[in-house]
Amino acid sequence: MSRTILFDSPYLLGFEHTRALIERAAKAAAEAYPPYNVEDLGEGRLRITLAVAGFSPDQLHVSVEDRQLVVAGRRDEAHKDDDAYLHRGIAGRGFLRSFVLADRVVVDGASLEHGLLHIDLARPEPETAIKRIPIRTTG
């Protein structure tokens, strides 16, 4: 992937982290399988739904690695030769899909229902921290 020219400016020092986030997001956007929806459930909650028909819960893996949600599906290749299809329209390949998460976004849970993997996310309100600064006197 080519570097983003905007962040190569000598006036934007220390933005390497931002550039890395943009590159990770661009890479994640290029993935096309499996298809997914992102719903806004209100009150800072989101739901990502992936179409994973044919995958069982033990063939799916959901993890968070360095503020990146990673969803992987691995098919059991042992029974692949036993199947004789006249037409195969449902994709059966493994996949790896990732989503870059913003600060303070947490994964609440995941559920598999009717071939759809639902991953619930939340962004809790930050706690208001009040810090009292002591005033020193001089002289």
Side-chain angles (χ1 to χ4, degrees):
M1 174 176 279
S2 64
R3 291 183 112 188
T4 307
I5 295 173
L6 174 68
F7 289 101
D8 288 339
S9 169
Y11 300 109
L12 295 173
L13 300 176
F15 286 92
E16 294 82 12
H17 177 70
T18 304
R19 176 180 30 205
L21 280 175
I22 291 171
E23 288 174 356
R24 283 181 13 192
K27 180 181 175 190
E31 300 169 356
Y33 177 78
Y36 66 94
N37 293 334
V38 178
E39 297 174 72
D40 183 356
L41 301 177
E43 300 177 9
R45 296 179 18 238
L46 299 171
R47 172 175 277 178
I48 299 173
T49 301
L50 293 99
V52 293
F55 286 88
S56 65
D58 59 327
Q59 295 172 323
L60 297 169
H61 179 73
V62 180
S63 63
V64 178
E65 304 168 10
D66 189 28
R67 290 185 16 211
Q68 186 165 332
L69 173 65
V70 178
V71 183
R74 302 280 183 252
R75 297 294 297 225
D76 186 12
E77 299 295 325
H79 298 93
K80 188 175 183 179
D81 295 332
D82 297 340
D83 299 333
Y85 291 98
L86 297 178
H87 173 75
R88 187 164 190 174
I90 299 173
R93 64 184 182 270
F95 66 89
L96 182 70
R97 178 166 290 280
S98 59
F99 302 88
V100 179
L101 301 177
D103 288 335
R104 298 185 336 267
V105 171
V106 295
V107 177
D108 273 348
S111 62
L112 184 62
E113 178 184 25
H114 305 297
L116 299 174
L117 177 63
H118 303 288
I119 303 170
D120 293 324
L121 308 171
R123 178 184 283 186
E125 290 293 323
E127 295 179 14
T128 304
I130 300 173
K131 181 179 177 182
R132 184 174 175 98
I133 310 299
I135 301 172
R136 293 180 287 149
T137 57
T138 58

